[in-house]
Amino acid sequence: MIQVTRSSMPDFEEYCNEIRSMWDSHWLTNMGEKHQRLEAMLKEYLDTPNAVLYANGHLALEDAIAAMRLPEGGEIITTPFTFASTTHAIVRKGCRPVFCDIDPDDFTLDASKLRSLITEKTCAILPVHVYGHICHTDEIQSIADEYGLKVIYDAAHAFGVIKNGVSAANFGDVSMFSFHATKVFNTIEGGALCFRDGSLTEEFNHRKNFGICNPTDVVFVGGNAKMNEFQAAMGICNLRHVDEEINKRRTADSVYRELLGNVQGIILPKIREDSENRHNYAYFPVLFDGFGYSRDEISDRLKENGIIARKYFYPLTSSFECYRGMDFAKNARTPVAAYCADRILTLPLYADLTTEEIERICRVVLRGR
Ligand SMILES: *Cc1c(COP(=O)(O)O)cnc(C)c1O
């Protein structure tokens, strides 16, 4: 069996050494020593002035929306070509998603379609750096500035990515990272918010702890989204090895590209890497368009051969059953996103995927051609 991904883990001894001190301190959560150390390490790694750790990426995103002080029922322009979390966070925080179509070259929000979606109720833009491809940040920011809109990035896929010398953590008003087990960098479950305005640090720290400011002052109707010490210790260990992990993913990506890069009907998104740009190889998305077999046929054939690929992202969030009949879902006009969702398949990619395994996967994909 080849799974679509495989969580990065440090050596067992390395993790044991990292958590040993907790048997002396008995300090297991609530911004302990491991939490503080990981937060400092991540600020440095992501080259960002402010970072607040979370129990997971989704709750971080909900707090990011809450802290922007958006009006109840305000419209947030976003993409339906994403994981459930992005759209759910908007709806759960009392706002209304307005779906914008995507750019077929990198699967991120098509900034040229933004203006036509802005109304007097629009209060924010929430784009996603899909598969680690950084959004069209300059165009998005200039439209946001023109209309006075907040920009919240779902950077769950973009850990360690750098575009034109700028870290993925430093775009917009706030960026959410996920450290879920399936991501390039993991803390088992986990996440973080990164942002330029340092005055938000305190607010996020309070929001993730029930809104408690001190033992007698509760200033927000906050939830509980604190990262615990075992998660932070996992992060400290994994962060030591993340560059090596990304390098191994880059090698695997290049083997795939060699085998699938010049095949009629297989489209691979372009990646730019140079002294100012770095990719993280979080996923290996393939668009089957005029290949002779459909995406579903290829996916089934892989499964019959013990290889698990993922229809990521399919279906569009605007087609979810939980949103059926709602105006914002019915009004969605995103033909490019729908086209991509029907044809996209992410093939297995993780640091320890071997060249032989990639060759086997590609043989199954290309069989009959
Ligand atoms: C993983 C992911 C999330 C949610 O992160 P969790 O840490 O699992 O809560 C949100 N958005 C996208 C695009 C993701 O891939």
Side-chain angles (χ1 to χ4, degrees):
M1 258 326 238
I2 302 177
Q3 297 293 341
V4 69
T5 189
R6 190 164 184 266
S7 299
S8 301
M9 292 171 82
D11 282 345
F12 182 62
E13 283 71 29
E14 184 180 349
Y15 187 65
C16 288
N17 284 334
E18 197 59 52
I19 61 174
R20 201 177 304 277
S21 61
M22 287 151 62
W23 267 257
D24 299 324
S25 69
H26 285 244
W27 190 297
L28 303 182
T29 186
N30 286 51
M31 284 77 113
E33 182 220 321
K34 305 291 172 195
H35 182 288
Q36 288 175 32
R37 207 157 100 232
L38 179 62
E39 212 165 69
M41 287 167 76
L42 282 171
K43 277 196 241 179
E44 189 174 328
Y45 189 86
L46 296 172
D47 186 27
T48 188
N50 305 292
V52 172
L53 300 183
Y54 273 83
N56 58 61
H58 178 79
L59 290 173
L61 187 58
E62 287 200 7
D63 272 4
I65 294 169
M68 294 297 111
R69 307 272 196 287
L70 306 173
E72 180 76 30
E75 294 177 357
I76 301 183
I77 302 177
T78 187
T79 169
F81 193 77
T82 185
F83 185 56
S85 172
T86 321
T87 307
H88 285 356
I90 293 171
V91 175
R92 287 169 60 85
K93 296 322 283 181
C95 290
R96 192 182 142 89
V98 172
F99 294 108
C100 182
D101 214 347
I102 61 168
D103 179 340
D105 291 336
D106 60 15
F107 308 105
T108 71
L109 203 94
D110 183 347
S112 73
K113 306 230 168 83
L114 266 176
R115 264 175 220 282
S116 65
L117 297 170
I118 294 173
T119 71
E120 68 279 4
K121 285 195 175 151
T122 307
C123 55
I125 307 172
L126 204 171
V128 181
H129 301 309
V130 182
Y131 312 130
H133 298 289
I134 299 296
C135 294
H136 306 198
T137 47
D138 291 344
E139 291 90 329
I140 290 168
Q141 194 61 55
S142 73
I143 292 169
D145 290 344
E146 187 181 330
Y147 291 90
L149 309 174
K150 300 288 186 187
V151 182
I152 304 162
Y153 279 106
D154 180 333
H157 291 186
F159 188 85
V161 176
I162 298 169
K163 178 186 152 192
N164 297 331
V166 181
S167 159
N170 294 337
F171 296 107
D173 292 281
V174 51
S175 295
M176 176 277 287
F177 289 90
S178 166
F179 308 146
H180 183 257
T182 55
K183 304 299 204 271
V184 167
F185 165 75
N186 85 77
T187 61
I188 311 170
E189 293 264 6
L193 294 176
C194 297
F195 43 92
R196 282 168 303 181
D197 175 4
S199 70
L200 286 169
T201 304
E202 201 175 59
E203 171 161 352
F204 289 133
N205 279 328
H206 295 156
R207 281 193 183 275
K208 73 179 183 183
N209 188 29
F210 305 101
I212 297 171
C213 173
N214 63 49
T216 51
D217 296 307
V218 180
V219 291
F220 298 109
V221 186
N224 180 2
K226 302 183 297 294
M227 179 183 281
N228 71 49
E229 291 289 276
F230 286 87
Q231 291 171 285
M234 190 68 155
I236 289 169
C237 294
N238 278 336
L239 196 55
R240 291 188 192 119
H241 308 290
V242 73
D243 284 335
E244 192 187 322
E245 295 277 306
I246 290 173
N247 287 339
K248 287 184 180 170
R249 284 170 175 272
R250 180 182 293 108
T251 303
D253 181 283
S254 69
V255 175
Y256 266 128
R257 274 171 199 272
E258 211 162 287
L259 297 171
L260 301 177
N262 291 312
V263 178
Q264 172 71 31
I266 285 188
I267 299 167
L268 308 177
K270 288 189 183 54
I271 287 168
R272 186 163 151 222
E273 282 207 295
D274 52 40
S275 59
E276 294 272 278
N277 292 276
R278 183 196 196 216
H279 193 60
N280 65 359
Y281 303 92
Y283 301 94
F284 194 80
V286 176
L287 196 76
F288 291 97
D289 193 3
F291 180 64
Y293 297 97
S294 70
R295 181 273 312 272
D296 289 355
E297 286 169 328
I298 299 295
S299 169
D300 290 345
R301 186 198 288 174
L302 285 165
K303 201 167 172 190
E304 286 157 19
N305 284 274
I307 298 161
I308 307 303
R310 189 171 172 199
K311 296 173 191 175
Y312 195 63
F313 297 106
Y314 172 85
L316 298 178
T317 63
S318 50
S319 307
F320 283 179
E321 187 176 329
C322 55
Y323 296 134
R324 196 163 294 161
M326 295 194 185
D327 279 347
F328 66 76
K330 278 195 296 198
N331 296 341
R333 296 286 175 272
T334 58
V336 177
Y339 192 90
C340 293
D342 284 340
R343 289 164 181 78
I344 198 80
L345 192 66
T346 60
L347 299 181
L349 181 62
Y350 46 87
D352 292 329
L353 187 67
T354 65
T355 298
E356 291 69 36
E357 286 168 326
I358 298 169
E359 286 168 352
R360 196 182 124 209
I361 295 162
C362 293
R363 264 200 308 276
V364 175
V365 169
L366 298 173
R367 189 181 300 155
R369 292 185 58 89

